[in-house]
């Protein structure tokens, strides 16, 4: 009678690390932004966001404008990663503290949307994707085009206050500065002109207007329009906390249309950059074309918003620098003192993402048999999650240790 030998397969550390580069390559390909990213994990996600935006619009119409501005302020600064929503803690200031964020509001309603998503599918949809998708729905509520938006962004735990002034043009910066900033993140001049069409909706505080009115009126302003602005802003030193403002577009103040371009051609731009957009040779042809054709404006606006929404996002394998999904979009960021106390290290001292083995790679794409006997010390653990502790871990990555029991994680 033949004897059957039982073969035991032992996965060695060397074999695992030979296999790992292939897994990383495969995983990074799967981690790019994509349409319908939540089709399996949260099929109703985009519909829930749409419903919430519509409900909030009918309760608070100005939220639609806030969603559009949130997208710009989040994605233009470093990455589309919801870092704008991080709150100030001791030693680390929020991006909201910047003067460039003056007048921004309705952040609390982002968490309203997040709560609705959590009720449907907990810990699945990132706040960064909520920022992007609520902007898309807000644009529709403002009469603009419905824009295809990819999803799959991760949330940052790092605030970039120092970067805000670099990437968010001041209300009174020149068009040359604005073009330079947007060009640096991959948006061409035509796209910049289209993005400024967002000034068709909303309002501007008098604090950002009075320099064009006092002590003398800016000669590039339409005289009749200047008198209207003086009526809205009667003093040269308005209280920044007072509700004193002028509408960007008096004719259709809550409709995203090409009236903005018609206004600036007629010298009725609120801001210096608006007026220069109509007079600079690099942008004037696009302004004239958009003023003449609302469909063309919407087409270019869609293209520019899509480009902006895909600026350097954190995606799947960038877990070192990103949240493991969070329950609230009003996240309090960890400061360096707390990291040090708990044994972690500030981001500046961490190795690059490509040098890290992301936990999700193995758990998502390795068959159970491959990691059955392998227990790894993961380098993203110091960031932790809302429920896991922050652990002091050695760097760089050490070889895996072999145990008899399967590897499990929280």
């Amino acid at each position: 009678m033949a004897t059957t030998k039982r073969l035991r397969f032992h996965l060695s550390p060397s074999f695992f690390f030979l296999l790992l580069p292939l897994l990383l390559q495969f995983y990074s390909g799967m981690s790019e932004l994509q349409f319908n990213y939540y089709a399996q994990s949260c099929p109703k996600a985009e519909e829930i966001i749409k419903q919430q935006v519509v409900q909030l619009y009918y309760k608070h119409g100005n939220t639609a404008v806030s969603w559009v501005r949130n997208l710009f302020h989040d994605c233009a600064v470093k990455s589309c990663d919801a870092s704008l929503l991080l709150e100030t803690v001791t030693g680390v200031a929020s991006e909201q503290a910047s003067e460039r964020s003056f007048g921004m509001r309705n952040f609390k309603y982002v968490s309203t949307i997040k709560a609705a998503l959590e009720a449907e599918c907990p810990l699945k949809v990132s706040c960064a994707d909520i920022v992007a998708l609520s902007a898309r729905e807000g644009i529709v509520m403002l009469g603009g085009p419905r824009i295809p938006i990819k999803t799959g962004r991760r949330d940052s735990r790092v605030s970039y206050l120092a970067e805000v002034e670099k990437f968010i043009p001041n209300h009174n910066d020149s068009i040359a500065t604005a073009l330079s900033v947007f060009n640096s993140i991959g948006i061409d001049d035509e796209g910049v002109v289209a993005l400024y069409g967002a000034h068709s909706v909303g309002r501007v505080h008098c604090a950002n207007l009075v320099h064009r009115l006092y002590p003398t009126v800016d000669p590039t302003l339409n005289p009749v329009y200047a008198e209207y602005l003086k009526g809205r802003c009667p003093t040269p030193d308005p209280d920044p906390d007072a509700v004193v403002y002028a509408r960007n577009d008096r004719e259709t103040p809550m409709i995203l249309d090409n009236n903005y371009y018609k206004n600036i051609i007629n010298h009725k731009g609120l801001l210096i950059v608006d007026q220069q957009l109509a007079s600079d040779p690099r942008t004037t042809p696009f302004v004239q074309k958009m003023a003449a054709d609302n469909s063309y404006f919407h087409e270019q606006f869609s293209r520019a918003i899509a480009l902006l929404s895909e600026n350097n996002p954190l995606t799947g394998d960038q877990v070192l620098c990103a949240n493991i999904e969070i329950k609230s979009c009003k996240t309090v960021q960890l400061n360096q003192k707390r990291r040090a106390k708990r044994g972690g290290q500030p981001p500046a001292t961490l190795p690059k993402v490509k040098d890290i083995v992301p936990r999700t790679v193995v758990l998502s794409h390795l068959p159970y048999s491959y990691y059955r006997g392998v227990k790894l010390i993961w380098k993203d653990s110091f960031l932790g999650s809302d429920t896991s502790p922050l652990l002091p871990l050695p760097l760089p990555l050490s070889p895996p240790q072999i145990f008899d029991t399967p590897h499990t994680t929280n």
Side-chain angles (χ1 to χ4, degrees):
M1 181 174 177
T3 301
T4 302
K5 293 184 178 181
R6 179 176 293 178
L7 298 178
R8 295 186 65 190
F9 178 74
H10 178 71
L11 178 64
S12 69
S14 59
F15 177 81
F16 178 83
F17 279 97
L18 285 174
L19 180 65
L20 186 59
L22 296 177
L23 295 170
L24 289 174
Q25 183 178 8
F26 170 75
Y27 183 76
S28 64
M30 295 293 290
S31 67
E32 298 298 322
L33 294 182
Q34 56 190 273
F35 294 115
N36 300 316
Y37 177 84
Y38 298 105
Q40 299 300 319
S41 62
C42 190
K44 296 181 180 179
E46 296 194 18
E47 183 60 29
I48 289 172
I49 293 173
K50 177 181 177 180
Q51 291 172 355
Q52 289 295 311
V53 167
V54 171
Q55 290 175 19
L56 288 165
Y57 175 82
Y58 285 114
K59 287 183 180 179
H60 319 279
N62 56 37
T63 53
V65 179
S66 296
W67 306 144
V68 181
R69 193 175 178 191
N70 283 352
L71 179 72
F72 169 57
H73 279 254
D74 185 40
C75 291
V77 179
K78 202 77 173 178
S79 171
C80 292
D81 56 9
S83 61
L84 171 70
L85 304 177
L86 291 170
E87 296 182 332
T88 295
V89 294
T90 304
V92 182
S94 169
E95 292 172 24
Q96 298 172 28
S98 171
E99 289 186 4
R100 303 294 167 91
S101 300
F102 175 70
M104 296 190 73
R105 52 184 173 162
N106 293 325
F107 294 117
K108 61 184 178 181
Y109 297 127
V110 181
S111 288
T112 300
I113 299 173
K114 178 67 170 174
L117 290 164
E118 289 299 303
E120 174 70 21
C121 39
L123 303 178
K124 297 298 182 185
V125 182
S126 68
C127 295
D129 279 339
I130 292 174
V131 169
L133 293 174
S134 62
R136 178 183 71 182
E137 302 304 335
I139 288 166
V140 173
M141 296 307 295
L142 293 168
R146 184 171 182 82
I147 304 169
I149 296 289
K150 295 179 180 179
T151 44
R153 298 164 187 81
R154 294 277 189 163
D155 298 323
S156 175
R157 285 198 176 186
V158 181
S159 190
Y160 302 107
L161 177 62
E163 301 288 322
V164 174
E165 291 192 11
K166 179 179 177 182
F167 289 104
I168 302 294
N170 185 280
H171 285 84
N172 302 307
D173 279 342
S174 67
I175 186 60
T177 298
L179 290 174
S180 176
V181 168
F182 282 109
N183 291 167
S184 72
I185 60 173
I187 300 176
D188 57 22
D189 292 354
E190 188 174 22
V192 175
V193 174
L195 283 180
Y196 270 103
H199 285 185
S200 173
V201 295
R203 60 192 188 180
V204 174
H205 196 281
C206 287
N208 293 314
L209 298 176
V210 290
H211 67 285
R212 300 192 72 195
L213 303 173
Y214 305 99
T216 58
V217 173
D218 183 338
T220 64
L221 270 175
N222 178 297
V224 175
Y225 188 60
E227 286 304 309
Y228 158 75
L229 292 179
K230 277 191 165 184
R232 299 295 304 174
C233 308
T235 64
D237 55 348
D239 180 356
D241 295 325
V243 184
V244 285
Y245 60 85
R247 293 285 183 185
N248 285 335
D249 176 7
R250 295 173 65 189
E251 286 77 22
T252 55
M254 291 297 287
I255 298 177
L256 188 67
D257 59 16
N258 65 341
N259 267 352
Y260 166 75
Y261 303 101
K262 297 175 182 178
N263 287 337
I264 61 177
I265 287 174
N266 291 320
H267 297 275
K268 295 180 180 180
L270 282 179
L271 306 172
I272 288 176
V273 69
D274 295 326
Q275 202 54 60
Q276 290 187 357
L277 201 68
S279 58
D280 190 284
R282 291 167 293 185
T283 55
T284 298
F286 302 126
V287 169
Q288 293 173 341
K289 191 173 180 180
M290 290 181 195
D293 188 343
N294 193 60
S295 295
Y296 167 70
F297 159 55
H298 279 180
E299 175 187 323
Q300 292 304 314
F301 186 77
S302 297
R303 181 180 69 88
I305 288 290
L307 286 172
L308 181 63
S309 74
E310 296 175 24
N311 179 38
N312 192 33
L314 298 177
T315 52
D317 62 337
Q318 293 171 295
V319 292
L320 181 69
C321 302
N323 284 355
I324 299 168
E325 309 297 353
I326 55 179
K327 295 182 180 180
S328 170
C329 290
K330 295 182 71 176
T331 304
V332 178
Q333 57 191 304
L334 295 174
N335 62 27
Q336 294 188 10
K337 184 181 294 185
R338 286 177 62 198
R339 286 196 186 100
K341 184 176 180 180
R342 298 172 114 171
Q345 300 186 31
T349 67
L350 293 171
K352 295 179 180 178
V353 171
K354 67 182 180 63
D355 298 325
I356 302 301
V357 180
R359 174 169 55 194
T360 49
V361 172
V362 176
L363 297 185
S364 298
H365 299 297
L366 264 179
Y368 175 78
S369 59
Y370 279 133
Y371 62 90
R372 180 176 181 275
V374 178
K375 184 172 183 179
L376 297 181
I377 306 299
W378 299 105
K379 294 310 141 200
D380 64 328
S381 303
F382 90 96
L383 282 178
S385 66
D386 289 342
T387 58
S388 63
L390 301 181
L391 302 175
L393 296 172
L395 294 172
L397 182 68
S398 56
Q401 303 170 27
I402 305 301
F403 291 83
D404 293 331
T405 56
H407 172 52
T408 58
T409 61
N410 291 328

